[in-house]
Amino acid sequence: MSGRGLILGIESSCDETAAAVVERGARTLSSVVASQIATHAKYGGVVPELASREHLRAIVPVVRASLAEAGVTLGDLDAIAVTSGPGLAGALLVGITYAKALAFAQGLPLIAVNHLEGHIHAVLLQERELPEREKRDGSSIQFSQVSESRPGAPSSPDTELSLALVVSGGHTHLYLAQPLNGTWKYTLVGRTLDDAAGEAFDKVAKLLGLGYPGGPWIDALARFGDPRAVPFSFAQFKAKVHLGGKAPRTKGSVTAPIAALDPHFLFSFSGIKTAVLRYVELHHLRPEAEARREALFTGPDAPARPTIEEALATCDPTTLDLIASFQHAVVGDLMKKTFAAAEALDAERILVTGGVAANRELRERFTVEAARRGIRVAFPTLALSTDNAAMIAAAAWPRFVAGEFAPPDLTADPSLALGCAGAGPVRAAT
Ligand code: KG4
Ligand code: ZN
């Protein structure tokens, strides 16, 4: 143990094997991510058995690389943190078993971290690192990723009541995050009833013959189409009575009942997916999509790593308009409900995190809207938006300080929920 507050984070909940060393939840010494995209791409989505096998292969070299990159040894660590859920059971177990063995062998405390809390801490880590970096570099660094819409320096990332939109391939959740005696209290205030936003990006991309994961392809191609060409709309949920208090099932998890949630903060992305499918049928875009898939990914002459330019060359204006309109509609819906929740719950700022937070249109429009409404919004860097282990090590820091360690029989919880569900507000004297 170095006493420097060094935590090794391990993340294996889905299709990325990641390890990172973070000092006191505020300084990333290393962050290594081994992506399994190449393994799953040919199946158009994550295959759980393959994910577990790839994690088994990658975990030892990835942890070694993270220690080497940080310039530390196992003996320097003060704790080990691992994602315990939500996620794929077999994938989670690889990380948990390895972290447990390492903690036991080194006599170190083990800290269990909820993957969604990790995503929230990706933004907080980024914010904590800014003043550190400014001190180190002796100059003011660009505030490009954490965008400040209000004038003046940001206050401490750990004191503000925040509305967090966690938007990824498995989740579209709104949490009120409240700092409380050095740790954080989370209240689930909104969520998707069916598909996650990232899942919709992936399914639409697959339908159009684009690669996996779909988000980055849609993001890159959307700029070439007209976002207003296809007028997609979203249902507004009006009464709690429709929802029946059932726990909706989404890709990776079953989470808290939604009866307690304000219907204005509920999302649904299965409808737009079906609307895109109908549009594709109506405009006879299927043959073009199949030809695209073959030219870019499955055919004998498909390039090893197709570029955006190559993909663009296979898209006619109708397809590009459809892509742009789909993205515009999804981002618009995320924005509308997130800002409404932030205002209703009196949040001091908005945090947007998870893989979809890497989306360019999302970042631009959230930033413009935040400036218009006079509320601050922050995003992680692109590398911290998608799955990584630095966010897990950062989320573990307050638990380390509070002495909240995992029991020896810690196991994977594929549907682990974060915080309690409720309409808020949870504003209270801290
Ligand atoms: O957070 P993440 O790496 O893994 C999960 O926890 O799910 O998120 C992956 C998701 C995928 O659905 C992917 O298509 C989406 O994030 N994604 C994006 C972009 N980059 C990744 N969606 C929209 N635009 C992007 N630039
Ligand atoms: Zn994630």
Side-chain angles (χ1 to χ4, degrees):
M1 285 193 200
S2 67
R4 285 167 59 193
L6 295 182
I7 298 186
L8 169 70
I10 296 177
E11 153 67 37
S12 69
S13 67
C14 192
D15 58 349
E16 258 108 21
T17 319
V21 179
V22 176
E23 188 177 338
R24 307 178 80 79
R27 191 170 160 230
T28 307
L29 302 189
S30 67
S31 180
V32 177
V33 180
S35 170
Q36 303 179 0
I37 284 178
T39 304
H40 302 289
K42 49 184 167 293
Y43 304 100
V46 179
V47 182
E49 289 77 8
L50 294 183
S52 309
R53 198 181 70 191
E54 292 297 309
H55 285 307
L56 273 173
R57 278 200 188 131
I59 190 111
V60 174
V62 164
V63 168
R64 279 199 190 134
S66 74
L67 293 172
E69 200 178 285
V72 301
T73 64
L74 283 174
D76 295 325
L77 299 174
D78 294 288
I80 293 174
V82 66
T83 306
S84 60
L88 300 168
L92 286 163
L93 270 176
V94 176
I96 293 173
T97 312
Y98 186 71
K100 264 187 182 174
L102 212 53
F104 181 74
Q106 294 296 126
L108 292 173
L110 180 69
I111 301 164
V113 175
N114 183 306
H115 182 79
L116 300 175
E117 182 176 20
H119 274 302
I120 294 173
H121 277 261
V123 195
L124 300 175
L125 168 63
Q126 158 85 4
E127 287 196 320
R128 289 186 204 115
E129 282 194 317
L130 284 173
E132 278 294 312
R133 246 179 285 166
E134 278 178 10
K135 256 188 268 161
R136 268 204 318 277
D137 301 350
S139 65
S140 187
I141 73 151
Q142 277 185 353
F143 222 55
S144 57
Q145 303 300 340
V146 178
S147 69
E148 286 293 306
S149 309
R150 253 186 218 158
S155 50
S156 160
D158 294 299
T159 58
E160 290 180 314
L161 183 67
S162 306
L163 196 272
L165 169 65
V166 184
V167 63
S168 68
H171 302 92
T172 303
H173 283 40
L174 281 171
Y175 291 99
L176 199 59
Q178 180 187 25
L180 203 64
N181 304 326
T183 61
W184 288 82
K185 178 180 182 226
Y186 304 96
T187 308
L188 177 72
V189 295
R191 54 160 298 147
T192 179
L193 297 173
D194 39 56
D195 292 353
E199 205 174 345
F201 272 93
D202 293 338
K203 286 178 178 170
V204 165
K206 189 174 178 182
L207 179 69
L208 294 176
L210 294 166
Y212 175 83
W217 289 102
I218 302 261
D219 186 352
L221 293 172
R223 314 183 261 144
F224 300 100
D226 174 3
R228 291 174 209 284
V230 189
F232 291 116
S233 62
F234 283 89
Q236 177 63 63
F237 302 98
K238 290 211 174 62
K240 293 179 188 183
V241 73
H242 293 317
L243 309 170
K246 285 200 201 102
R249 182 176 283 274
T250 57
K251 194 162 88 180
S253 62
V254 179
T255 54
I258 32 86
L261 305 180
D262 185 327
H264 293 99
F265 311 147
L266 296 174
F267 300 93
S268 169
F269 295 105
S270 64
I272 191 163
K273 183 189 67 191
T274 312
V276 171
L277 176 63
R278 261 198 231 112
Y279 193 91
V280 165
E281 302 293 354
L282 206 66
H283 291 80
H284 312 290
L285 299 177
R286 246 192 213 282
E288 184 196 305
E290 285 313 323
R292 181 178 307 116
R293 195 186 323 279
E294 202 181 320
L296 295 175
F297 302 101
T298 56
D301 301 326
R305 289 173 72 88
T307 62
I308 296 301
E309 289 70 31
E310 284 165 331
L312 186 60
T314 68
C315 295
D316 69 5
T318 313
T319 301
L320 292 171
D321 285 351
L322 175 63
I323 290 172
S325 302
F326 162 77
Q327 177 172 287
H328 189 77
V330 171
V331 170
D333 190 60
L334 290 170
M335 244 172 54
K336 184 173 136 197
K337 290 168 184 168
T338 304
F339 280 96
E343 272 180 14
L345 300 168
D346 216 6
E348 287 161 277
R349 63 164 174 190
I350 292 172
L351 312 176
V352 190
T353 185
V356 182
N359 187 272
R360 267 170 288 188
E361 181 178 343
L362 180 148
R363 284 175 182 245
E364 280 164 22
R365 289 177 64 195
F366 267 77
T367 303
V368 169
E369 185 64 11
R372 196 179 72 76
R373 295 191 189 225
I375 187 168
R376 289 191 301 110
V377 62
F379 310 94
T381 58
L382 292 185
L384 283 177
S385 294
T386 48
D387 288 350
N388 66 88
M391 68 185 197
I392 302 302
W397 175 247
R399 299 197 187 284
F400 177 77
V401 174
E404 283 177 29
F405 301 131
D409 61 350
L410 175 73
T411 189
D413 185 346
S415 53
L416 184 66
L418 176 63
C420 53
V426 291
R427 189 187 272 279
T430 52

